[in-house]
């Protein structure tokens, strides 16, 4: 079982809709969770992080964490064509070498105007 | 504040040739990562440094890959000899212990 799982998509939503991106992880000891956005041909950029169970909101973005279910999600409200990108879920795992930042494969989001 | 700087941005080499990538992390960041990203995949961790110590190199193909981080600042990742399957984007990232990582622009390697 891969440590961080994401549906590769593509996820297609119309402009103005809510996009929901999901991620599951295998290690119950995981402590920190991150969402990165990656435009085609560019490097990943951090958009959200969350450490505690519940919701965390930042503008149009909301990260949700449920440690009991080992599930983290990202909601994008009022989706814009400029949100079209690949969204990478990253989890900070505690392994033998300390903490390691492990990424999922990413979910491709397409927002149509 | 300058971000993570990588060079070169692009590199094309013939198989069996050596290649090296350089990374300058954000000032003050003790943690430095090297990731490899294949098309359509997420970044895969190759090696992680805490200061000058490689604390996690379990995914680094040590028969052909090597890395160093002298003085706990800049880092170099080397491949010798390169194989066709090494074609990918090599990403360097830095951060403070236990926090988020910030990425450089990456080096796109093409092995022909």
């Amino acid at each position: 079982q891969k440590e961080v799982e994401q549906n590769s998509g593509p996820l297609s939503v119309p402009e103005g809709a809510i996009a929901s991106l999901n991620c599951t992880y295998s290690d119950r000891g995981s402590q920190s969770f991150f969402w990165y956005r990656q435009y085609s041909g560019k490097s990943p950029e951090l958009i959200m992080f969350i450490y505690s169970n519940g919701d965390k909101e930042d503008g149009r973005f909301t990260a949700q964490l449920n440690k009991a279910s080992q599930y983290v999600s990202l909601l994008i409200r009022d989706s814009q064509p400029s949100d079209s990108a690949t969204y990478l879920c990253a989890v900070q795992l505690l392994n033998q070498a300390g903490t390691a930042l492990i990424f999922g494969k990413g979910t491709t989001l397409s927002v149509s105007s | 504040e300058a971000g993570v700087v990588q060079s070169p941005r692009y590199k094309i080499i013939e198989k069996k040739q050596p290649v090296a990538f350089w990374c300058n992390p954000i000032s003050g960041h003790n943690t430095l990562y090297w990731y490899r990203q294949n098309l359509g995949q997420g970044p895969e961790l190759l090696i992680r440094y805490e200061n000058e110590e490689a604390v996690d190199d379990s995914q680094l193909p040590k028969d052909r890959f090597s890395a160093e981080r002298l003085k706990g600042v800049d880092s170099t990742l080397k491949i010798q000899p390169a194989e066709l399957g090494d074609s990918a984007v090599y990403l360097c990232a830095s951060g403070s212990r236990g926090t988020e990582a910030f990425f450089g622009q990456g080096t796109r390697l093409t092995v022909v």
Side-chain angles (χ1 to χ4, degrees):
Chain A
Q1 182 185 6
K2 289 188 66 67
E3 292 168 314
V4 182
E5 298 259 22
Q6 294 182 258
N7 188 326
S8 61
L11 173 65
S12 297
V13 300
E15 184 175 358
I18 296 175
S20 178
L21 304 158
N22 304 316
C23 172
T24 59
Y25 59 94
S26 60
D27 190 331
R28 287 194 172 273
S30 301
Q31 300 172 325
S32 307
F33 308 86
F34 306 90
W35 283 100
Y36 285 80
R37 177 176 61 200
Q38 187 172 28
Y39 292 113
S40 180
K42 302 294 186 181
S43 59
E45 58 176 327
L46 180 71
I47 52 173
M48 290 282 297
F49 61 87
I50 186 166
Y51 302 140
S52 304
N53 276 328
D55 296 359
K56 179 181 179 182
E57 187 175 319
D58 183 0
R60 296 186 297 111
F61 299 96
T62 299
Q64 299 175 317
L65 174 62
N66 184 325
K67 288 188 176 181
S69 299
Q70 296 174 247
Y71 176 92
V72 58
S73 65
L74 179 70
L75 300 178
I76 306 175
R77 290 182 301 281
D78 188 23
S79 295
Q80 302 297 308
S82 58
D83 294 327
S84 298
T86 295
Y87 289 80
L88 298 163
C89 173
V91 175
Q92 204 134 47
L93 303 177
L94 183 63
N95 61 22
Q96 296 171 334
T99 57
L101 190 60
I102 304 300
F103 285 80
K105 292 177 59 174
T107 298
T108 300
L109 173 66
S110 177
V111 181
S112 55
S113 57
Chain B
E1 178 182 305
V4 178
V5 179
Q6 290 187 247
S7 68
R9 291 293 311 278
Y10 305 92
K11 190 75 176 178
I12 301 174
I13 61 170
E14 293 183 345
K15 62 182 180 183
K16 300 184 181 180
Q17 295 301 306
V19 64
F21 315 124
W22 175 79
C23 174
N24 178 244
I26 293 172
S27 177
H29 280 183
N30 298 324
T31 305
L32 185 145
Y33 308 85
W34 281 103
Y35 288 89
R36 176 171 59 190
Q37 188 173 27
N38 291 304
L39 191 64
Q41 303 293 314
E44 297 175 88
L45 180 66
L46 292 174
I47 189 168
R48 177 171 65 92
Y49 283 93
E50 293 294 340
N51 299 305
E52 66 275 11
E53 181 182 2
V55 296
D56 187 353
D57 63 356
S58 58
Q59 301 303 311
L60 189 72
K62 298 182 183 64
D63 57 336
R64 297 184 299 107
F65 286 64
S66 64
E68 61 181 9
R69 189 183 185 196
L70 298 177
K71 300 182 181 179
V73 181
D74 294 0
S75 179
T76 303
L77 178 69
K78 298 179 181 178
I79 308 174
Q80 182 172 14
E83 297 178 352
L84 295 177
D86 295 331
S87 295
V89 176
Y90 290 82
L91 294 164
C92 178
S94 71
S96 298
R97 183 187 294 272
T99 65
E100 65 271 25
F102 297 90
F103 284 85
Q105 315 97 308
T107 296
R108 183 176 297 277
L109 173 68
T110 302
V111 182
V112 298

